[in-house]
Amino acid sequence: MSAVRRSTRVVTAILVLTLLTMAIGAAPPAEAALPQPDSFYTAPASLPSGPPGTTIKAEQNTVFFDPINLISSAFRLALPPLLPIPVGFADSYRFMHTSRNAADQPLALTGTLIVPKTPWTGPGERPLLAYAVGGHGMDDTCTPSWQFMQGSQYELPLIAPYVAAGFAVVATDYQRYPTHTFAEPKSAGQAVLDSIRAATRLQAERGLPTGIDDSNPVVIAGYSEGGNASSAAAERQPSYAPEINLKGVATGGVPADLRTTAAKADGTLLSGVTFMAINALKTSYPALNVNDIPLNSLGRYAVNDVLDECMPEITQTYLYKSVRLFTASWRYPLGLSFEQALDKAPAWKAKIEELRIGRSLTPSAPVLVYHGNLDPWVPIESSRRMADEWCSRGANVTFQTYPLAEHFLTLAEAIPHNVDWLMDRAVGEPVASGC
């Protein structure tokens, strides 16, 4: 086993333990407050002209990993960094750039670019990996690039193996203002693609010595919410960003269908994602009226409550609570399942079906889709249906299953294979379609 593979298994094991600790911990104290993102995240009053991906501002920064602060922040404890370990094997930059929201209106997004200090010795140019992060939450303090600087970014151990293998890595923060558009595929896919555009322009437009431009081959990776974003980016790239030199996409645990995902997650560890998704859709599509969903007063409170929480707190607050609790009323004394509630809100049901990944768009680059057979929250059937629909329209798709893995363990098992598969695509190795 290579050193990269050994280190990958160690860091992903640490990550899984950390995520489980964050998920099952006691409810955090209400008065705790984490540092708010600084003024860098304030967009200018008017955005610059130019195509999506045009850079607005950028600066070199330092990425930290602080295991103690990571866990304390999961419990909303505002402690200063205790054991900050700067990531000294790479240079990092945070940046703001233009993009488009779900209504195709311009907006400003932020992200992070991490570039290895070691020279690239492989064939061609250093590959650029767009890493689509998973669920972080809806509060401003959950902004991924801000967490990189605070030492509390729990996906850094997942990114490190790609950097160690020689990839430059760009990670978008997605749309976060006025609220995070959780798993809304159009804006998320465009955010991933526009972060790639911005990363390739930082050197020319901002004078930063990144060594990255539009000649670098591009690959994309993402899991869970990041699987939604990376899959959406894969199928939107041919029409939205055809100039990107996209060589391959590895996407896993994909909530391709928000309806079936919310139904399966209901009453589980991730029950709170339903309220995040409702917020994302009402932000992205103002014509959708939350009052059309038969929520009771507790349900309406939950929709607003998640707005100022991060993923660990959302998980702790709504742990194992069924949506029936939030829909019970004199009319529905036993409450409604998520699908029953959706049947009462036809506009919402139609929009969710319209947004289903795989429904109408097709990737042009090879795609590796992977999923754990024992995933208790994201149904494997939705990933398989997405892959089958892509295949039916001629895409090059490989579908990989992990028979004895659930959601977190699939992520840990897959990274060594993903690193190798994406590197092969980046350097031009062909892959036969698994369709």
Side-chain angles (χ1 to χ4, degrees):
M1 184 183 296
S2 70
V4 170
R5 286 179 179 269
R6 286 194 298 270
S7 63
T8 297
R9 293 191 185 280
V10 170
V11 296
T12 49
I14 293 171
L15 176 77
V16 169
L17 291 173
T18 300
L19 289 174
L20 289 173
T21 300
M22 290 159 57
I24 65 177
E31 68 275 14
L34 297 177
Q36 293 291 318
D38 60 28
S39 60
F40 183 89
Y41 294 90
T42 302
S46 60
L47 298 181
S49 59
T54 298
T55 60
I56 299 171
K57 53 185 169 181
E59 63 183 23
Q60 189 160 5
N61 65 351
T62 302
V63 171
F64 288 91
F65 184 65
D66 184 345
I68 293 178
N69 199 38
L70 187 155
I71 294 174
S72 70
S73 67
F75 295 98
R76 309 293 283 178
L77 298 178
L79 300 177
L82 299 177
L83 291 174
I85 305 169
V87 179
F89 53 83
D91 294 315
S92 60
Y93 311 86
R94 62 174 175 172
F95 57 91
M96 179 179 285
H97 64 93
T98 60
S99 187
R100 311 288 292 184
N101 65 15
D104 289 320
Q105 299 167 330
L107 78 163
L109 302 184
T110 50
T112 297
L113 174 65
I114 300 173
V115 182
K117 289 183 180 292
T118 54
W120 169 249
T121 58
E125 300 292 325
R126 181 191 298 279
L128 173 65
L129 167 74
Y131 183 90
V133 298
H136 278 62
M138 310 198 81
D139 188 62
D140 292 351
T141 60
C142 321
T143 302
S145 64
W146 179 244
Q147 290 185 338
F148 277 120
M149 298 175 64
Q150 300 301 303
S152 58
Q153 178 48 260
Y154 47 78
E155 294 205 40
L156 187 58
L158 299 177
I159 293 171
Y162 292 103
V163 178
F167 291 96
V169 176
V170 60
T172 179
D173 292 333
Y174 304 125
Q175 179 181 334
R176 304 201 69 85
Y177 305 98
T179 187
H180 172 43
T181 53
F182 171 79
E184 192 289 306
K186 182 176 180 180
S187 63
Q190 292 174 174
V192 171
L193 295 169
D194 288 333
S195 74
I196 294 168
R197 287 166 158 163
T200 65
R201 297 171 184 171
L202 288 177
Q203 187 161 273
E205 295 182 359
R206 299 293 146 185
L208 295 173
T210 64
I212 303 297
D213 58 31
D214 57 13
S215 67
N216 296 82
V218 175
V219 293
I220 298 173
Y223 189 80
S224 196
E225 182 186 354
N228 176 286
S230 54
S231 297
E235 68 174 19
R236 291 179 182 277
Q237 180 268 331
S239 57
Y240 184 77
E243 82 283 3
I244 290 178
N245 187 21
L246 186 60
K247 299 296 187 181
V249 180
T251 183
V254 184
D257 182 346
L258 295 180
R259 177 184 62 85
T260 58
T261 300
K264 185 160 186 176
D266 183 41
T268 72
L269 187 74
L270 296 183
S271 297
V273 301
T274 298
F275 303 110
M276 293 172 64
I278 290 173
N279 264 301
L281 292 177
K282 75 182 182 70
T283 295
S284 301
Y285 304 98
L288 294 177
N289 189 341
V290 174
N291 292 328
D292 291 342
I293 304 174
L295 297 170
N296 56 28
S297 58
L298 186 60
R300 292 190 293 273
Y301 170 83
V303 170
N304 291 320
D305 180 53
V306 297
L307 287 174
D308 59 358
E309 295 182 349
C310 293
M311 199 68 191
E313 189 175 6
I314 292 170
T315 301
Q316 294 159 17
T317 302
Y318 297 97
L319 187 68
Y320 300 127
K321 293 181 175 66
S322 171
V323 73
R324 292 182 182 276
L325 175 66
F326 302 95
T327 55
S329 66
W330 66 268
R331 180 174 296 178
Y332 309 112
L334 299 180
L336 299 172
S337 69
F338 178 78
E339 293 191 316
Q340 288 171 334
L342 205 58
D343 285 339
K344 307 293 182 182
W348 286 78
K349 185 174 183 178
K351 177 58 68 174
I352 288 173
E353 172 58 22
E354 177 189 322
L355 294 174
R356 181 171 55 79
I357 303 174
R359 178 175 177 267
S360 60
L361 301 176
T362 310
S364 59
V367 184
L368 169 65
V369 180
Y370 61 99
H371 212 116
N373 281 353
L374 305 181
D375 193 324
W377 305 307
V378 180
I380 190 172
E381 294 80 12
S382 65
S383 282
R384 194 182 299 277
R385 181 183 184 185
M386 176 188 74
D388 288 345
E389 289 178 327
W390 283 344
C391 282
S392 71
R393 297 193 293 271
N396 181 330
V397 181
T398 300
F399 194 82
Q400 172 75 45
T401 60
Y402 290 85
L404 301 178
E406 47 69 76
H407 197 69
F408 290 143
L409 292 179
T410 299
L411 176 59
E413 279 194 54
I415 286 184
H417 179 230
N418 292 349
V419 171
D420 291 344
W421 192 90
L422 288 170
M423 185 61 77
D424 285 345
R425 304 292 79 73
V427 301
E429 292 290 334
V431 59
S433 176
C435 294

